[in-house]
Each structure stands twice: as structure tokens, then as C-alpha cells.
């Protein structure tokens, strides 16, 4: 949480944070500012002090001020035209010198500064390299994992959790609409038909998913997994839009929409068979569902998340399946991690895979997915079941959006 940010900064030997980019679709920035239509701002947070925002475009003044933070327009005190005149209209020199003056005035000319945010890499790289020459005592750093902001974001406030819970309700509403739609479609032989009497395709279903998400006020920046048969056996295959929906073939439906403008995500998966489930698919499904429930039942506060990855591997291996525990290049069996944190990014701390750190624990306030799966593309089958779980301050684990675990969706005769 933000209240822990100064402590994480101290632990990481960071004196200040510098977040670049827009106030939307930019997780680290939105974490501080909320979602507002300011296209380019710099946020500086010196350890022990409140963040300060500098925005570039005067017409975005009111949008920037809606962040509730101390806000300044660069041109208000540091007009770019003045710097251009003094530096022969050299834009890079003008921008860097102006930035040097801003950092000097806010008392940030030395120490370790952690850079983050989503911005143009080429321009940012050029700017930062030249700034180093002007302020040699300022050490600019970044983190591959476990940055102070990432660690603060690992736990959520009750208000943040309610945003995720609302996204969960929206997500399961759309999933329910998809289930009802598929069940209402006529069938010819083993093939579902659309309203025109033609075979129903994955692409047509995805169009409806995007329409319903938009109607309910969400966006879908990471796509949707809706894959059937062999594609369902490849965990990150989003599905072939031209594939026809057939009875009895397992469908992996993994949906992870986000609040409009770059807010909080939800993550959810169900596996369905239309009309009936073949015995081999039913058996795999029952095993995945058993592991899903078993892991959730065994969750304990403050436990390293990777413990549950090892436990999942153990359970699946006892059922006779290969796992990534003994083969990181595995393509069939249990081939991924048990889950990941969820928030302003669809994948964030805590992580559970082999690269997870000791800081990736199930702390009170954490929100994370539990998503065991079994994948056999050679047999045209994949099964995954996923729920998003919240560890509340009372130490209780709760699924933020309940939804049935039925494998078979009934269809019209």
C-alpha cells in the first residue's frame, strides 16, 4: 500500500521516484494520480515527502489537478521558449536544462532515483543520458522486479479491492451472457449455428465479448482467450477467429478486462464443453477442479506464493501428469505457474513461478489468481480453471466473483 512506500524505498536504497508518461493506461502513474486525461506528466516522489506532478501542456492543467496532488505546469515557471532562445533552438538542450532547474528547485540533485512509467523509450533514453552529465551526483536506476512501487502495489486498500470486485462482477456478467448465448444457439449435427444459420465462429463470439464489455464500461486491452480443441491445449493461444464451435470439444475461456482508461483488471477462466464432455476431458477437468479447490483450501497468510506452485506440481504429479517442477520446457501436462498478483497490471506481485522472490508472499491485502491447468495439444484438449482471490485484513481468503464450475453447457436439441 502507499503507506508502506517510504519503507520500501528505504529498503531498496532509493531516495526518490520519477514516474513518466500519461495519467491513463500507465499503471505506476495511475497508482498515484488516478485516471485523468493528461498525456504527458512527470511525477516526482522524494522519500518522506508527498508526490509532485509537473505537466507539459497548459490545456491539461485541470486534468492534472484532478489528481489531488501538488501540481505545476512546466511553462508556468520554466517556459520552454526561454530555454530554446538561450540554447540556439536546440530542443534536447532546452528540455534537459529546464529539467535540471526543476530538479534543483525541488531539491533533487543527488541520490538514487528510480525511474518507471510507460513512455517513449527513445526520447526518454536520450533525455536521461544527457541529464546524467548535468547532474553527475544523481544516480538514475530502474528495477527488473520488486521495485518500491511494485512492492507497495502488492497489497491493496479496501477501496482498491472494491474496484477489482466490481470488475469481477462485470466480468462474470459477461461470461454469463456468453454461456446463455451459446446455449441458445441452434445446432446442426455437431456444429453450433449463428442467427443467419451459418456455423458460429470464435471470432463472432469474441465480437460479442468486446461489445458486452464496452456496454458495461470496461475495456479489453490484453485480448481474450477463447480457444477450442488443440488451441485450448496451448495456454496463451487466444484462439483462431475462424474456428467453428463444435459439440464436445473443450473451450478454454480466459477473460481479463480492465477498467476503462487503465484502471484495475480482473482475471477469470472457465473451461466448457458444449452439449457433452468426452470421458477423457471430464477426467482432466475433474482433476484440475480438485487441485483448484485443494490449493484454495490450503492457502495460508504470509506464505510464499511459490510454495503453492510446488504444491500444485506435487498434486498433479501424484495424478500422473508431468509438471514444470522437473522440466521447465514442458509443453504437455502442467506447464505454467499457479497464479500471479492482479491490480493495475494483469500480472503483478506476488508471483508464484520459478522467478518469484522472497517478497512474493500472500500478505493481507494481496489480490491474486489461482489457475491450475492441464494441457495436451496432441490430444486436442486443454483445461484451466481460474478465480481471483483476495486475502482480507482479517486473514480470510475470498473469491471476489463467484461463478459456477460446470464443464458442460447445455445446447438446443
Amino acid at each position: 500500500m502507499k503507506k508502506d512506500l517510504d519503507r520500501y524505498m528505504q529498503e531498496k536504497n532509493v531516495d526518490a521516484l520519477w514516474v513518466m508518461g500519461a495519467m491513463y493506461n500507465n499503471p505506476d502513474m495511475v497508482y498515484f494520480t488516478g485516471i485523468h486525461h493528461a498525456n504527458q506528466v512527470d511525477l516526482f516522489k522524494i522519500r518522506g515527502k508527498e508526490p509532485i506532478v509537473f505537466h507539459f501542456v497548459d490545456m491539461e492543467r485541470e486534468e492534472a489537478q484532478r489528481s489531488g496532488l501538488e501540481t505545476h505546469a512546466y511553462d508556468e515557471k520554466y517556459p520552454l521558449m526561454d530555454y530554446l532562445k538561450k540554447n540556439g533552438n536546440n530542443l534536447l538542450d532546452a528540455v534537459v536544462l529546464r529539467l535540471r532547474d526543476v530538479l534543483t528547485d525541488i531539491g533533487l540533485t543527488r541520490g538514487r532515483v528510480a525511474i518507471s512509467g510507460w513512455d517513449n523509450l527513445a526520447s526518454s533514453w536520450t533525455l536521461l543520458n544527457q541529464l546524467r552529465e548535468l547532474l553527475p551526483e544523481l544516480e538514475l536506476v530502474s528495477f527488473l522486479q520488486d521495485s518500491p512501487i511494485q512492492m507497495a502495489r502488492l497489497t491493496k486498500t479496501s477501496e482498491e479491492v472494491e474496484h477489482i470486485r466490481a470488475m469481477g462482477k462485470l466480468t462474470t456478467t459477461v461470461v454469463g451472457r456468453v454461456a446463455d448465448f451459446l446455449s441458445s444457439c441452434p445446432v446442426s449435427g455437431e456444429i453450433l449455428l449463428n442467427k443467419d444459420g451459418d456455423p458460429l465462429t470464435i471470432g463472432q463470439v469474441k465480437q460479442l465479448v468486446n461489445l458486452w464489455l464496452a456496454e458495461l464500461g470496461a475495456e479489453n486491452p490484453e485480448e481474450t482467450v477463447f480457444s477450442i480443441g488443440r488451441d485450448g491445449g496451448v495456454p496463451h493461444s487466444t484462439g483462431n477467429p475462424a474456428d467453428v464451435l463444435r459439440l464436445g470439444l473443450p473451450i478454454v475461456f480466459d477473460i481479463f478486462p480492465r477498467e476503462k482508461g487503465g484502471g484495475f483488471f480482473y482475471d477469470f477462466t472457465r473451461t466448457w464443453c458444449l452439449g457433452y464432455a468426452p470421458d477423457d476431458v471430464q477426467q482432466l477437468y475433474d482433476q484440475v477442479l480438485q487441485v483448484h479447490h485443494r490449493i484454495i483450501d490450503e492457502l495460508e497468510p504470509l506464505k510464499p506464493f511459490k510454495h503453492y506452485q510446488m504444491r500444485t506440481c506435487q498434486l498433479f504429479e501424484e495424478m500422473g501428469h508431468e509438471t514444470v517442477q522437473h522440466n521447465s520446457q514442458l509443453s504437455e501436462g502442467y506447464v505454467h505457474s499457479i497464479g500471479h498478483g492482479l491490480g493495475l497490471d494483469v500480472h503483478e506481485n506476488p508471483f508464484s513461478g520459478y522467478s518469484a522472490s522472497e517478497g512474493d508472499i500472500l500478505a493481507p491485502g494481496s489480490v491474486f489468481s489461482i489457475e491450475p491447468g492441464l494441457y495436451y495439444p496432441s490430444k486436442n484438449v486443454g483445461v484451466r480453471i481460474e478465480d481471483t482471490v483476495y486475502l482480507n485484513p482479517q486473514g480470510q481468503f475470498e473469491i471476489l466473483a463467484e461463478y459456477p464450475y460446470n464443464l458442460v453447457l447445455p445446447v438446443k436439441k
Side-chain angles (χ1 to χ4, degrees):
M1 298 182 191
K2 289 192 190 78
K3 66 180 179 62
D4 302 313
L5 189 54
D6 285 328
R7 174 169 60 85
Y8 290 127
M9 291 173 68
Q10 185 170 8
E11 290 176 0
K12 296 288 185 177
N13 191 26
V14 168
D15 299 295
L17 307 172
W18 178 358
V19 187
M20 302 176 176
M23 284 187 175
Y24 54 87
N25 298 335
N26 187 1
D28 281 357
M29 183 70 76
V30 169
Y31 185 61
F32 289 100
T33 66
I35 302 171
H36 306 288
H37 194 72
N39 291 290
Q40 182 65 46
V41 305
D42 287 319
L43 181 145
F44 302 102
K45 192 255 184 291
I46 298 174
R47 195 170 74 216
K49 298 183 179 180
E50 293 299 313
I52 304 174
V53 169
F54 285 84
H55 62 91
F56 286 77
V57 183
D58 190 64
M59 69 182 72
E60 294 176 353
R61 179 188 305 270
E62 292 188 5
E63 285 292 321
Q65 289 174 345
R66 288 193 179 100
S67 68
L69 302 174
E70 180 182 340
T71 306
H72 303 276
Y74 271 116
D75 273 354
E76 186 176 15
K77 186 177 178 183
Y78 313 92
L80 184 59
M81 290 296 294
D82 292 352
Y83 286 88
L84 286 169
K85 289 176 183 178
K86 293 176 183 177
N87 293 277
N89 285 324
N90 184 305
L91 180 60
L92 178 59
D93 286 346
V95 171
V96 172
L97 287 167
R98 178 172 74 168
L99 186 55
R100 177 202 62 185
D101 291 346
V102 169
L103 295 177
T104 299
D105 287 351
I106 67 173
L108 188 55
T109 58
R110 63 178 62 193
R112 279 169 52 91
V113 179
I115 307 293
S116 71
W118 289 0
D119 203 5
N120 184 300
L121 177 61
S123 59
S124 297
W125 180 263
T126 303
L127 175 72
L128 296 175
N129 272 340
Q130 190 142 334
L131 183 64
R132 282 191 180 101
E133 297 180 8
L134 292 178
L135 296 173
E137 294 185 81
L138 198 67
E139 182 185 0
L140 303 176
V141 300
S142 59
F143 291 83
L144 181 62
Q145 65 176 4
D146 294 349
S147 74
I149 299 178
Q150 288 170 335
M151 295 309 297
R153 285 171 49 191
L154 184 148
T155 53
K156 275 71 177 174
T157 64
S158 58
E159 181 181 357
E160 290 170 331
V161 172
E162 290 312 307
H163 279 265
I164 301 173
R165 193 191 303 274
M167 280 303 301
K169 182 177 181 180
L170 183 154
T171 300
T172 52
T173 296
V174 171
V175 171
R177 290 184 183 183
V178 174
D180 291 343
F181 168 74
L182 295 177
S183 293
S184 70
C185 289
V187 178
S188 177
E190 294 280 296
I191 296 175
L192 257 67
L193 305 178
N194 61 26
K195 63 181 179 180
D196 297 321
D198 297 321
L200 180 68
T201 66
I202 282 177
Q204 292 166 349
V205 174
K206 285 191 172 185
Q207 287 177 352
L208 290 173
V209 169
N210 288 331
L211 172 63
W212 289 330
L213 287 172
E215 286 179 347
L216 294 173
E219 57 190 16
N220 198 17
E222 307 280 345
E223 246 282 18
T224 297
V225 171
F226 198 88
S227 53
I228 189 168
R230 184 190 181 281
D231 285 345
V234 182
H236 283 182
S237 172
T238 59
N240 180 358
D243 277 353
V244 172
L245 297 190
R246 299 176 180 273
L247 303 188
L249 273 183
I251 299 167
V252 175
F253 183 13
D254 188 351
I255 179 172
F256 27 97
R258 180 178 70 179
E259 291 177 305
K260 187 176 180 181
F264 287 93
F265 281 89
Y266 199 76
D267 203 357
F268 176 92
T269 307
R270 289 294 184 268
T271 300
W272 292 332
C273 282
L274 300 172
Y276 67 93
D279 291 343
D280 59 337
V281 176
Q282 184 70 61
Q283 181 181 10
L284 288 178
Y285 186 85
D286 291 343
Q287 290 175 334
V288 172
L289 185 62
Q290 178 183 340
V291 171
H292 175 277
H293 291 341
R294 184 80 171 266
I295 293 297
I296 290 180
D297 287 344
E298 292 182 6
L299 293 174
E300 296 180 21
L302 302 180
K303 199 90 168 179
F305 201 3
K306 61 186 178 183
H307 164 83
Y308 296 101
Q309 169 67 355
M310 293 185 287
R311 177 64 172 142
T312 302
C313 290
Q314 178 189 7
L315 292 171
F316 276 134
E317 288 173 2
E318 290 173 354
M319 296 173 177
H321 302 283
E322 288 191 82
T323 76
V324 288
Q325 185 74 11
H326 298 105
N327 181 2
S328 63
Q329 302 301 311
L330 198 65
S331 61
E332 295 205 334
Y334 176 58
V335 302
H336 57 67
S337 63
I338 188 57
H340 54 83
L342 184 79
L344 293 170
D345 281 303
V346 71
H347 298 98
E348 63 180 46
N349 299 80
F351 293 104
S352 65
Y354 63 87
S355 63
S357 71
E358 293 303 316
D360 286 308
I361 63 173
L362 301 184
S366 57
V367 177
F368 53 93
S369 67
I370 294 294
E371 49 180 305
L374 290 172
Y375 308 91
Y376 290 95
S378 63
K379 300 178 181 179
N380 294 325
V381 59
V383 174
R384 181 163 65 253
I385 300 170
E386 176 183 25
D387 285 308
T388 293
V389 178
Y390 167 49
L391 174 53
N392 66 31
Q394 292 74 42
Q396 301 165 326
F397 293 91
E398 55 178 297
I399 295 173
L400 288 177
E402 298 278 0
Y403 191 86
Y405 296 101
N406 300 335
L407 170 59
V408 175
L409 289 185
V411 296
K412 286 186 174 181
K413 299 285 187 179

